[in-house]
Amino acid sequence: MEIEKAIKETGINRYYSLKDLYGYENDTFVFPKEEAIKIINFLREDFFPVTGLSLWILNGNDCKVGCAWWHCDEIENENPYSHLKRSCDTAIKYIEDITDDSQKDNFLWEIDFSRMKA
């Protein structure tokens, strides 16, 4: 799945393309808090565990990588559905814990995900 599908399916219109901003070779999308949570919930429904998050900070037209990141590896002998639930729940909690209301428009989240193992 491509992140563009999740953007379209969720009707999100607030996001930034790092390819458009900085000419990155591969497109990377970053999302404000509420939109990031929508994307994570969409990924959960489509069976894509969240494997990591990276914080980007928007300052005017400048977007720089922040000092917060998180990753979620599968635990040994973990049921794939447990990993899916744990990864999505923890990702949302992490975003909510890091992003308070005063930062919600300037803290942007890059979301890494992978297809759930059958």
Side-chain angles (χ1 to χ4, degrees):
M1 183 185 78
E2 296 180 8
I3 197 72
E4 291 93 336
K5 176 183 176 192
I7 291 169
K8 182 179 178 183
E9 297 277 331
T10 56
I12 288 175
N13 58 16
R14 290 187 56 226
Y15 61 91
Y16 298 86
S17 161
L18 297 182
K19 183 177 184 178
D20 291 346
L21 289 174
Y22 300 112
Y24 281 21
E25 186 174 323
N26 297 319
D27 211 350
T28 300
F29 294 94
V30 293
F31 305 90
K33 176 183 176 180
E34 300 302 324
E35 286 73 9
I37 292 171
K38 285 180 190 175
I39 291 287
I40 291 167
N41 284 323
F42 177 83
L43 292 170
R44 178 194 319 257
E45 291 172 14
D46 230 17
F47 301 107
F48 285 88
V50 176
T51 56
L53 296 170
S54 299
L55 172 66
W56 291 78
I57 301 172
L58 182 65
N59 186 6
N61 288 332
D62 192 27
C63 192
K64 296 185 180 188
V65 71
C67 60
W69 58 90
W70 167 86
H71 71 277
C72 184
D73 294 330
E74 214 172 295
I75 298 170
E76 187 176 339
N77 298 321
E78 183 175 32
N79 173 310
Y81 291 99
S82 295
H83 179 237
L84 173 70
K85 180 179 180 350
R86 181 176 60 83
S87 73
C88 293
D89 290 347
T90 307
I92 290 170
K93 182 173 179 354
Y94 188 81
I95 290 170
E96 289 174 339
D97 287 351
I98 299 289
T99 311
D100 68 29
D101 284 342
S102 68
Q103 304 152 327
K104 70 179 182 178
D105 293 325
N106 293 3
F107 279 19
L108 307 173
W109 295 96
E110 177 184 351
I111 304 165
D112 295 323
F113 58 93
S114 67
R115 172 55 90 181
M116 189 171 85
K117 295 178 184 172

